[in-house]
Amino acid sequence: MKALVYEGPHNMPICDYPMCYPEAGQVKIKVKYCGICGSDLHGYTGASGRKIPPMVMGHEFSGVVTELGEGVTKFKVGDRVSVLPVEYCCECEFCKRGAVNICANRRNLGVLDVDGAFTEYICMNEKFVYALPDSVSDKEGALLEPLSVAHHAVGLAQPIENNNVLIAGTGTIGLLIVMLVKAAGAAKIVVTDLSEDRLSLARKLGADITVNPAVQDLDATLKEAGIRNNIHVAIECVGATPTCQTTVDYVKIQGRVVWVGNAAKMVTVNMQNIVTQELKIFGSYAFTEEDFSDSLKLLAERKLPASEIITRIVTLEHATETFEELTKGGSKDIKVLVDVNG
Ligand SMILES: [Zn+2]
Ligand SMILES: [Zn+2]
């Protein structure tokens, strides 16, 4: 079968890869759509060091079940599915209390040397596989992973209803958070980003106030809106000093700050403000089973316009050149999906 094999920085040809066969408890999935994640791009350039060649990336995917291993009961051939792409152990102290996102023994698909889904077929334990209801498309199925990341971050920031929320950064996760807090009944939603296109999409998805800090004064805009000192929740979705500082600067006294962006290792923030204003800062990493199933439910109930963030679909043959293009910067894309078997 064909697979997109990462062999080193900027080197990811389509190769013949050994076909997988489902072991007991596994289902074989023909991959339909697999999203390109920012972490894949940072892996592709070698910047993150989180991909150990040779390996296959891809952890945001949907597909169809084509074969069942012994003892599989949850699925039948032909079922449309999405996959929770973290094999957690169920036995460590974190798994035992449901925090499978920080499982001590987790294996993340498409990270380090664990193969992911930029391949025609993948075999997965049925425990990590979720059936897609008719109301959820294959494309939306590929958005379930990033949506679950956003869902986990919003969960840490609760309550959202009738609270003013600031979201710093509107890549995939930031935009999905805009949708989630809108659906959760946020009062005013304020969004900052350096891209006018992304800000305009954020407005379409429910943001009330959008600010490009390169050309607009966030402070003055919030004063004018009467919420300068009344932001209850601030969520950072970039992973960089300026946006971390924005969340700390603009959340109200004793407010809740969630950092879900994951890029820079070190950031500089005004610690005195955190201490003297008793800010609550939460790190948010990945998602739990509950985030995954709740996100699927929100999609099934048509509560979120999630597919609005899909800007392009490419074939596996064009995937590598798309990676190359996206890592050059300046792209207007938000989420690009690879139609793996297309
Ligand atoms: Zn991802
Ligand atoms: Zn565990």
Side-chain angles (χ1 to χ4, degrees):
M1 65 175 178
K2 283 186 290 184
L4 202 59
V5 181
Y6 172 70
E7 296 187 334
H10 298 276
N11 181 13
M12 194 166 64
I14 294 176
C15 298
D16 267 328
Y17 222 56
M19 178 59 82
C20 72
Y21 297 95
E23 292 170 13
Q26 288 190 330
V27 296
K28 179 170 168 181
I29 298 163
K30 183 175 186 182
V31 179
K32 179 59 184 166
Y33 294 108
C34 184
I36 300 178
C37 175
S39 67
D40 294 329
L41 298 174
H42 295 139
Y44 174 75
T45 60
S48 71
R50 298 267 296 156
K51 315 279 180 187
I52 302 170
M55 60 85 68
V56 177
M57 300 184 201
H59 56 271
E60 307 176 353
F61 65 103
S62 61
V64 60
V65 173
T66 58
E67 209 179 317
L68 306 178
E70 216 181 284
V72 168
T73 53
K74 246 170 77 183
F75 296 97
K76 57 182 191 309
V77 170
D79 282 348
R80 296 164 53 251
V81 295
S82 180
V83 169
L84 191 160
V86 183
E87 296 176 328
Y88 43 86
C89 76
C90 300
E91 280 159 18
C92 71
E93 61 166 300
F94 307 107
C95 282
K96 277 184 182 153
R97 55 181 167 83
V100 303
N101 58 322
I102 44 173
C103 166
N105 307 304
R106 66 182 181 272
R107 280 166 40 96
N108 292 69
L109 255 64
V111 180
L112 301 177
D113 60 350
V114 183
D115 283 343
F118 286 124
T119 176
E120 289 179 290
Y121 294 89
I122 189 165
C123 292
M124 291 296 305
N125 188 305
E126 66 172 334
K127 175 169 75 179
F128 304 114
V129 183
Y130 290 68
L132 294 179
D134 291 343
S135 58
V136 177
S137 69
D138 294 335
K139 288 174 194 161
E140 289 171 321
L143 296 177
L144 199 48
E145 194 270 353
L147 180 60
S148 302
V149 172
H151 190 273
H152 192 68
V154 172
L156 290 168
Q158 294 288 354
I160 298 297
E161 196 174 3
N162 298 324
N163 279 219
N164 296 320
V165 180
L166 181 145
I167 298 157
T170 52
T172 295
I173 301 301
L175 289 169
L176 291 170
I177 287 175
V178 171
M179 293 179 209
L180 285 166
V181 299
K182 182 77 184 172
K188 285 273 181 282
I189 303 173
V190 183
V191 167
T192 68
D193 199 281
L194 297 172
S195 152
E196 297 295 340
D197 293 322
R198 288 175 182 222
L199 290 175
S200 122
L201 183 52
R203 281 193 293 276
K204 191 174 166 196
L205 300 175
D208 301 289
I209 299 168
T210 60
V211 173
N212 178 345
V215 293
Q216 283 167 282
D217 185 345
L218 179 57
D219 205 81
T221 309
L222 293 180
K223 273 186 189 136
E224 202 177 308
I227 53 170
R228 171 60 187 90
N229 297 312
N230 202 26
I231 300 285
H232 304 83
V233 168
I235 307 180
E236 201 277 348
C237 309
V238 180
T241 287
T243 33
C244 285
Q245 188 60 49
T246 296
T247 55
V248 168
D249 282 345
Y250 288 93
V251 79
K252 68 186 289 178
I253 292 171
Q254 289 194 323
R256 304 177 298 284
V257 174
V258 177
W259 287 351
V260 61
N262 185 6
K265 263 207 180 91
M266 304 290 287
V267 297
T268 307
V269 293
N270 185 331
M271 182 181 166
Q272 216 162 41
N273 284 355
I274 298 170
V275 172
T276 59
Q277 298 180 26
E278 291 202 335
L279 305 186
K280 300 174 189 71
I281 301 192
F282 302 89
S284 180
Y285 177 68
F287 43 83
T288 63
E289 289 171 305
E290 205 180 351
D291 290 308
F292 211 77
S293 49
D294 287 354
S295 298
L296 181 53
K297 194 159 168 264
L298 286 168
L299 289 178
E301 290 168 354
R302 312 307 306 159
K303 295 268 172 67
L304 308 170
S307 53
E308 290 279 350
I309 66 166
I310 301 171
T311 48
R312 197 160 30 138
I313 294 170
V314 300
T315 60
L316 196 64
E317 281 68 31
H318 290 105
T320 304
E321 66 188 62
T322 308
F323 265 72
E324 198 54 43
E325 181 194 334
L326 294 174
T327 50
K328 281 206 173 79
S331 164
K332 294 194 171 198
D333 279 303
I334 310 273
K335 178 57 69 186
V336 178
L337 301 184
V338 178
D339 184 353
V340 173
N341 277 282

PDB file of all heavy atoms in Angstrom, residues 189-207:
ATOM      1  N   ILE A 189     -17.420  37.725  22.648  1.00  0.00           N
ATOM      2  CA  ILE A 189     -16.243  36.951  22.232  1.00  0.00           C
ATOM      3  C   ILE A 189     -15.284  37.903  21.517  1.00  0.00           C
ATOM      4  O   ILE A 189     -15.625  38.505  20.504  1.00  0.00           O
ATOM      5  CB  ILE A 189     -16.635  35.796  21.288  1.00  0.00           C
ATOM      6  CG1 ILE A 189     -17.661  34.882  21.978  1.00  0.00           C
ATOM      7  CG2 ILE A 189     -15.403  35.008  20.851  1.00  0.00           C
ATOM      8  CD1 ILE A 189     -18.245  33.796  21.070  1.00  0.00           C
ATOM      9  N   VAL A 190     -14.093  38.058  22.098  1.00  0.00           N
ATOM     10  CA  VAL A 190     -13.070  38.940  21.535  1.00  0.00           C
ATOM     11  C   VAL A 190     -11.963  38.064  20.959  1.00  0.00           C
ATOM     12  O   VAL A 190     -11.530  37.105  21.612  1.00  0.00           O
ATOM     13  CB  VAL A 190     -12.462  39.854  22.625  1.00  0.00           C
ATOM     14  CG1 VAL A 190     -11.446  40.816  22.020  1.00  0.00           C
ATOM     15  CG2 VAL A 190     -13.549  40.594  23.386  1.00  0.00           C
ATOM     16  N   VAL A 191     -11.513  38.376  19.750  1.00  0.00           N
ATOM     17  CA  VAL A 191     -10.494  37.558  19.109  1.00  0.00           C
ATOM     18  C   VAL A 191      -9.363  38.444  18.611  1.00  0.00           C
ATOM     19  O   VAL A 191      -9.612  39.521  18.062  1.00  0.00           O
ATOM     20  CB  VAL A 191     -11.127  36.783  17.926  1.00  0.00           C
ATOM     21  CG1 VAL A 191     -10.074  36.182  17.038  1.00  0.00           C
ATOM     22  CG2 VAL A 191     -12.059  35.698  18.446  1.00  0.00           C
ATOM     23  N   THR A 192      -8.117  38.008  18.822  1.00  0.00           N
ATOM     24  CA  THR A 192      -6.980  38.745  18.255  1.00  0.00           C
ATOM     25  C   THR A 192      -6.204  37.832  17.311  1.00  0.00           C
ATOM     26  O   THR A 192      -6.064  36.634  17.557  1.00  0.00           O
ATOM     27  CB  THR A 192      -6.004  39.263  19.332  1.00  0.00           C
ATOM     28  OG1 THR A 192      -5.350  38.142  19.942  1.00  0.00           O
ATOM     29  CG2 THR A 192      -6.720  40.062  20.406  1.00  0.00           C
ATOM     30  N   ASP A 193      -5.725  38.404  16.219  1.00  0.00           N
ATOM     31  CA  ASP A 193      -4.864  37.677  15.284  1.00  0.00           C
ATOM     32  C   ASP A 193      -4.218  38.703  14.357  1.00  0.00           C
ATOM     33  O   ASP A 193      -4.725  39.819  14.200  1.00  0.00           O
ATOM     34  CB  ASP A 193      -5.673  36.666  14.460  1.00  0.00           C
ATOM     35  CG  ASP A 193      -4.786  35.591  13.834  1.00  0.00           C
ATOM     36  OD1 ASP A 193      -4.131  35.865  12.802  1.00  0.00           O
ATOM     37  OD2 ASP A 193      -4.720  34.487  14.389  1.00  0.00           O
ATOM     38  N   LEU A 194      -3.104  38.320  13.750  1.00  0.00           N
ATOM     39  CA  LEU A 194      -2.416  39.229  12.822  1.00  0.00           C
ATOM     40  C   LEU A 194      -2.934  39.105  11.393  1.00  0.00           C
ATOM     41  O   LEU A 194      -2.533  39.860  10.519  1.00  0.00           O
ATOM     42  CB  LEU A 194      -0.902  38.957  12.854  1.00  0.00           C
ATOM     43  CG  LEU A 194      -0.213  39.210  14.206  1.00  0.00           C
ATOM     44  CD1 LEU A 194       1.230  38.730  14.171  1.00  0.00           C
ATOM     45  CD2 LEU A 194      -0.279  40.686  14.584  1.00  0.00           C
ATOM     46  N   SER A 195      -3.827  38.116  11.151  1.00  0.00           N
ATOM     47  CA  SER A 195      -4.329  37.913   9.790  1.00  0.00           C
ATOM     48  C   SER A 195      -5.774  38.412   9.661  1.00  0.00           C
ATOM     49  O   SER A 195      -6.666  37.957  10.378  1.00  0.00           O
ATOM     50  CB  SER A 195      -4.265  36.417   9.438  1.00  0.00           C
ATOM     51  OG  SER A 195      -5.254  36.094   8.492  1.00  0.00           O
ATOM     52  N   GLU A 196      -5.977  39.327   8.717  1.00  0.00           N
ATOM     53  CA  GLU A 196      -7.325  39.873   8.496  1.00  0.00           C
ATOM     54  C   GLU A 196      -8.281  38.785   8.013  1.00  0.00           C
ATOM     55  O   GLU A 196      -9.462  38.781   8.357  1.00  0.00           O
ATOM     56  CB  GLU A 196      -7.276  41.025   7.471  1.00  0.00           C
ATOM     57  CG  GLU A 196      -6.462  42.245   7.906  1.00  0.00           C
ATOM     58  CD  GLU A 196      -7.044  42.977   9.125  1.00  0.00           C
ATOM     59  OE1 GLU A 196      -8.240  42.801   9.412  1.00  0.00           O
ATOM     60  OE2 GLU A 196      -6.279  43.721   9.783  1.00  0.00           O
ATOM     61  N   ASP A 197      -7.767  37.855   7.199  1.00  0.00           N
ATOM     62  CA  ASP A 197      -8.626  36.777   6.691  1.00  0.00           C
ATOM     63  C   ASP A 197      -9.153  35.920   7.836  1.00  0.00           C
ATOM     64  O   ASP A 197     -10.322  35.552   7.885  1.00  0.00           O
ATOM     65  CB  ASP A 197      -7.847  35.873   5.730  1.00  0.00           C
ATOM     66  CG  ASP A 197      -7.467  36.612   4.463  1.00  0.00           C
ATOM     67  OD1 ASP A 197      -8.289  37.416   3.999  1.00  0.00           O
ATOM     68  OD2 ASP A 197      -6.353  36.393   3.954  1.00  0.00           O
ATOM     69  N   ARG A 198      -8.244  35.595   8.747  1.00  0.00           N
ATOM     70  CA  ARG A 198      -8.651  34.755   9.871  1.00  0.00           C
ATOM     71  C   ARG A 198      -9.620  35.493  10.783  1.00  0.00           C
ATOM     72  O   ARG A 198     -10.575  34.911  11.297  1.00  0.00           O
ATOM     73  CB  ARG A 198      -7.426  34.301  10.647  1.00  0.00           C
ATOM     74  CG  ARG A 198      -6.659  33.263   9.855  1.00  0.00           C
ATOM     75  CD  ARG A 198      -5.366  32.841  10.503  1.00  0.00           C
ATOM     76  NE  ARG A 198      -4.709  31.886   9.629  1.00  0.00           N
ATOM     77  CZ  ARG A 198      -4.104  30.777  10.031  1.00  0.00           C
ATOM     78  NH1 ARG A 198      -4.038  30.503  11.307  1.00  0.00           N
ATOM     79  NH2 ARG A 198      -3.563  29.960   9.173  1.00  0.00           N
ATOM     80  N   LEU A 199      -9.390  36.799  10.966  1.00  0.00           N
ATOM     81  CA  LEU A 199     -10.296  37.584  11.802  1.00  0.00           C
ATOM     82  C   LEU A 199     -11.681  37.639  11.168  1.00  0.00           C
ATOM     83  O   LEU A 199     -12.691  37.559  11.863  1.00  0.00           O
ATOM     84  CB  LEU A 199      -9.742  39.001  12.007  1.00  0.00           C
ATOM     85  CG  LEU A 199      -8.484  39.079  12.891  1.00  0.00           C
ATOM     86  CD1 LEU A 199      -7.957  40.511  12.931  1.00  0.00           C
ATOM     87  CD2 LEU A 199      -8.762  38.573  14.309  1.00  0.00           C
ATOM     88  N   SER A 200     -11.708  37.729   9.846  1.00  0.00           N
ATOM     89  CA  SER A 200     -13.013  37.806   9.201  1.00  0.00           C
ATOM     90  C   SER A 200     -13.748  36.466   9.303  1.00  0.00           C
ATOM     91  O   SER A 200     -14.958  36.423   9.524  1.00  0.00           O
ATOM     92  CB  SER A 200     -12.832  38.325   7.764  1.00  0.00           C
ATOM     93  OG  SER A 200     -13.323  37.450   6.839  1.00  0.00           O
ATOM     94  N   LEU A 201     -12.999  35.360   9.218  1.00  0.00           N
ATOM     95  CA  LEU A 201     -13.620  34.046   9.432  1.00  0.00           C
ATOM     96  C   LEU A 201     -14.109  33.922  10.885  1.00  0.00           C
ATOM     97  O   LEU A 201     -15.188  33.395  11.151  1.00  0.00           O
ATOM     98  CB  LEU A 201     -12.626  32.928   9.087  1.00  0.00           C
ATOM     99  CG  LEU A 201     -13.140  31.485   9.176  1.00  0.00           C
ATOM    100  CD1 LEU A 201     -14.439  31.290   8.394  1.00  0.00           C
ATOM    101  CD2 LEU A 201     -12.082  30.496   8.680  1.00  0.00           C
ATOM    102  N   ALA A 202     -13.310  34.444  11.828  1.00  0.00           N
ATOM    103  CA  ALA A 202     -13.706  34.396  13.250  1.00  0.00           C
ATOM    104  C   ALA A 202     -15.028  35.132  13.457  1.00  0.00           C
ATOM    105  O   ALA A 202     -15.894  34.676  14.208  1.00  0.00           O
ATOM    106  CB  ALA A 202     -12.608  35.000  14.127  1.00  0.00           C
ATOM    107  N   ARG A 203     -15.203  36.282  12.765  1.00  0.00           N
ATOM    108  CA  ARG A 203     -16.474  37.036  12.889  1.00  0.00           C
ATOM    109  C   ARG A 203     -17.633  36.201  12.360  1.00  0.00           C
ATOM    110  O   ARG A 203     -18.690  36.126  12.968  1.00  0.00           O
ATOM    111  CB  ARG A 203     -16.378  38.358  12.110  1.00  0.00           C
ATOM    112  CG  ARG A 203     -15.610  39.452  12.845  1.00  0.00           C
ATOM    113  CD  ARG A 203     -15.814  40.817  12.201  1.00  0.00           C
ATOM    114  NE  ARG A 203     -15.229  40.908  10.871  1.00  0.00           N
ATOM    115  CZ  ARG A 203     -13.939  41.196  10.627  1.00  0.00           C
ATOM    116  NH1 ARG A 203     -13.104  41.426  11.642  1.00  0.00           N
ATOM    117  NH2 ARG A 203     -13.487  41.264   9.390  1.00  0.00           N
ATOM    118  N   LYS A 204     -17.381  35.536  11.218  1.00  0.00           N
ATOM    119  CA  LYS A 204     -18.422  34.695  10.628  1.00  0.00           C
ATOM    120  C   LYS A 204     -18.828  33.556  11.584  1.00  0.00           C
ATOM    121  O   LYS A 204     -19.974  33.133  11.616  1.00  0.00           O
ATOM    122  CB  LYS A 204     -17.865  34.112   9.319  1.00  0.00           C
ATOM    123  CG  LYS A 204     -18.875  33.431   8.449  1.00  0.00           C
ATOM    124  CD  LYS A 204     -18.251  33.025   7.110  1.00  0.00           C
ATOM    125  CE  LYS A 204     -19.162  32.048   6.396  1.00  0.00           C
ATOM    126  NZ  LYS A 204     -18.464  31.347   5.316  1.00  0.00           N
ATOM    127  N   LEU A 205     -17.859  33.082  12.364  1.00  0.00           N
ATOM    128  CA  LEU A 205     -18.117  31.948  13.253  1.00  0.00           C
ATOM    129  C   LEU A 205     -18.640  32.377  14.616  1.00  0.00           C
ATOM    130  O   LEU A 205     -18.887  31.537  15.475  1.00  0.00           O
ATOM    131  CB  LEU A 205     -16.826  31.127  13.431  1.00  0.00           C
ATOM    132  CG  LEU A 205     -16.245  30.537  12.151  1.00  0.00           C
ATOM    133  CD1 LEU A 205     -14.924  29.850  12.422  1.00  0.00           C
ATOM    134  CD2 LEU A 205     -17.225  29.557  11.521  1.00  0.00           C
ATOM    135  N   GLY A 206     -18.750  33.696  14.837  1.00  0.00           N
ATOM    136  CA  GLY A 206     -19.384  34.122  16.097  1.00  0.00           C
ATOM    137  C   GLY A 206     -18.624  35.137  16.931  1.00  0.00           C
ATOM    138  O   GLY A 206     -19.109  35.549  17.984  1.00  0.00           O
ATOM    139  N   ALA A 207     -17.415  35.539  16.510  1.00  0.00           N
ATOM    140  CA  ALA A 207     -16.676  36.535  17.299  1.00  0.00           C
ATOM    141  C   ALA A 207     -17.396  37.886  17.206  1.00  0.00           C
ATOM    142  O   ALA A 207     -17.844  38.282  16.133  1.00  0.00           O
ATOM    143  CB  ALA A 207     -15.253  36.656  16.788  1.00  0.00           C
TER     144      ALA A 207
END
